[in-house]
Amino acid sequence: MVTIYDIAKRSGYSITTVSKVLNNYKNVSEKAIKAVQEAIDELGYTPNSSARTLATNKSWMIGVVFAEHLGVGIAHPFFSEVIEGFKKHVELYNYDLLFVSRHMGLQEETYKHLKHRGVDGVVVVQSFGEDLIGGENSPIPAVYIDMPLKQPGSVYSDNRHGSSLAVNYLTELGHERIAHIMGDQTNFAGEERAIGFLKAMEKKGLVVPEHYLVNGGFFSYEGGREAMIRLLALSERPTAVVVAGDIMALGAIKVIKEAGLRVPEDISIVGFDDIALAKHVDPPLTTIRQDKDLIGRQAAIILLNKINGDQDSSSRVVPVQLIKRGSCQLIRG
């Protein structure tokens, strides 16, 4: 069995330097890192997890907590892509992920469970409510995705700007009667996207009737359906709808078709997320793309820095992009 002593002998560097390279310490020269890595590759060294844990006083494990109202966790396409981006980055530093039961959410039991398992840090996805994981006095470093909190640091998309991009595009196409299917307003992303929508409409000098703002709930297909049914029942229905999530947008499009209307000929639709399915539906969905891989990587960088003693808790706001497809159309005179 190859040991770090063999690596030290082959590379020409001390056991201390080899240990630092294996544990990703920053105060090691590029030359030493290259020599040690070459020795590792040549000897086929695989670190023993138990020995590594004892040597470094780390578990090399990161907890993953889903605290979201839908209760679907990683099955949601947005969350799964974000966690994949997170996972790819922490794996570069030899960390494994421990997924906490989605039924636990942000509860005291969750904190106790993570503490018992000895995780080095935790990533909380789509958080809400009281922070029981990574507060100021918590020994567990934490990062939050989609929920800005002052203490632990967080990563989220520029939701307001995304709604603004959607409104600006629709007005360029001649739309003025624009409605908004909102995400639930107790949810950070839902609230921010609604604020962005209203501010953009105000900037364009367009009035938003109260009944043009419909709560679609927690970003579900059914929520999008129910909200669109309400909009279609209006005496003066909108010519375009900005929807706070792609899955809700798909539900809205289904209702429009069931009513004998067409997208985009009768009603234009803009979603938010750019899930993988968005480009394959009929019509392909115009949407606001969140850079889900970058969100995951930024969260990983923050958390790894915190695990290594960097207490920077500033938030990272990830840019968004308008993706034009086939669900919007120019208003015909």
Side-chain angles (χ1 to χ4, degrees):
M1 180 177 175
V2 179
T3 68
I4 62 171
Y5 298 96
D6 300 314
I7 297 171
K9 185 176 180 180
R10 176 66 65 91
S11 67
Y13 283 89
S14 68
I15 293 171
T16 300
T17 299
V18 172
S19 179
K20 286 183 176 181
V21 173
L22 289 172
N23 293 295
N24 301 299
Y25 280 78
K26 296 179 181 179
N27 59 334
V28 184
S29 70
E30 290 295 328
K31 182 180 178 181
I33 293 173
K34 182 179 179 182
V36 170
Q37 191 59 58
E38 286 177 352
I40 289 171
D41 295 340
E42 290 171 7
L43 296 172
Y45 172 75
T46 302
N48 180 283
S49 60
S50 298
R52 184 175 60 156
T53 297
L54 289 172
T56 61
N57 198 30
K58 290 182 178 181
S59 68
W60 298 96
M61 191 177 299
I62 291 173
V64 181
V65 177
F66 287 93
E68 37 77 38
H69 293 282
L70 287 176
V72 297
I74 202 168
H76 193 287
F78 170 75
F79 300 152
S80 62
E81 291 184 52
V82 167
I83 287 300
E84 182 61 25
F86 181 89
K87 177 174 174 284
K88 284 190 295 187
H89 190 81
V90 297
E91 280 179 341
L92 296 174
Y93 298 87
N94 300 313
Y95 278 94
D96 294 320
L97 300 184
L98 170 68
F99 288 85
V100 175
S101 169
R102 63 182 174 85
H103 298 294
M104 295 182 74
L106 285 184
Q107 302 175 19
E108 188 67 35
E109 290 76 12
T110 309
Y111 170 79
K112 291 177 181 177
H113 177 68
L114 292 167
K115 188 176 180 182
H116 174 72
R117 295 300 298 267
V119 298
D120 296 327
V122 59
V123 54
V124 182
V125 185
Q126 188 64 21
S127 56
F128 62 92
E130 185 182 0
D131 170 25
L132 297 175
I133 305 298
E136 186 176 11
N137 299 317
S138 171
I140 305 178
V143 64
Y144 284 70
I145 293 174
D146 250 15
M147 182 70 175
L149 294 171
K150 292 181 180 178
Q151 295 298 342
S154 55
V155 183
Y156 53 93
S157 291
D158 193 344
N159 293 291
R160 294 191 186 191
H161 183 58
S163 291
S164 178
L165 289 174
V167 169
N168 291 345
Y169 178 54
L170 289 171
T171 56
E172 288 171 5
L173 295 176
H175 294 275
E176 295 183 353
R177 302 202 312 271
I178 306 172
H180 180 43
I181 295 179
M182 304 180 292
D184 191 274
Q185 294 302 283
T186 64
N187 174 279
F188 171 73
E191 181 182 24
E192 289 290 291
R193 290 170 194 177
I195 291 172
F197 171 82
L198 290 170
K199 285 185 176 295
M201 291 290 283
E202 181 182 10
K203 193 171 181 180
K204 292 292 182 180
L206 298 174
V207 176
V208 182
E210 186 177 344
H211 47 266
Y212 271 23
L213 297 173
V214 185
N215 194 329
F218 295 106
F219 301 90
S220 68
Y221 182 86
E222 293 75 17
R225 282 186 56 88
E226 292 172 8
M228 196 67 230
I229 289 171
R230 291 172 61 183
L231 288 174
L232 290 183
L234 298 174
S235 57
E236 186 176 46
R237 67 173 183 248
T239 63
V241 184
V242 175
V243 189
D246 282 353
I247 292 180
M248 288 197 299
L250 300 185
I253 289 172
K254 180 66 172 177
V255 166
I256 292 170
K257 291 181 176 181
E258 289 173 349
L261 300 172
R262 300 166 299 168
V263 177
E265 290 85 354
D266 297 306
I267 300 178
S268 290
I269 297 288
V270 180
F272 205 119
D273 286 337
D274 194 28
I275 60 175
L277 186 60
K279 61 185 176 183
H280 299 296
V281 295
D282 180 27
L285 183 63
T286 294
T287 187
I288 304 300
R289 174 177 292 167
Q290 297 195 79
D291 193 334
K292 295 169 281 290
D293 182 70
L294 181 57
I295 291 171
R297 283 190 284 120
Q298 286 289 336
I301 290 168
I302 290 175
L303 185 57
L304 292 175
N305 286 341
K306 289 170 75 76
I307 289 172
N308 291 321
D310 180 0
Q311 293 307 309
D312 174 24
S313 61
S314 61
S315 296
R316 305 289 194 275
V317 182
V318 177
V320 295
Q321 179 185 3
L322 172 67
I323 304 299
K324 300 177 183 178
R325 295 196 180 103
S327 63
C328 296
Q329 181 174 289
L330 186 71
I331 286 283
R332 304 295 180 185

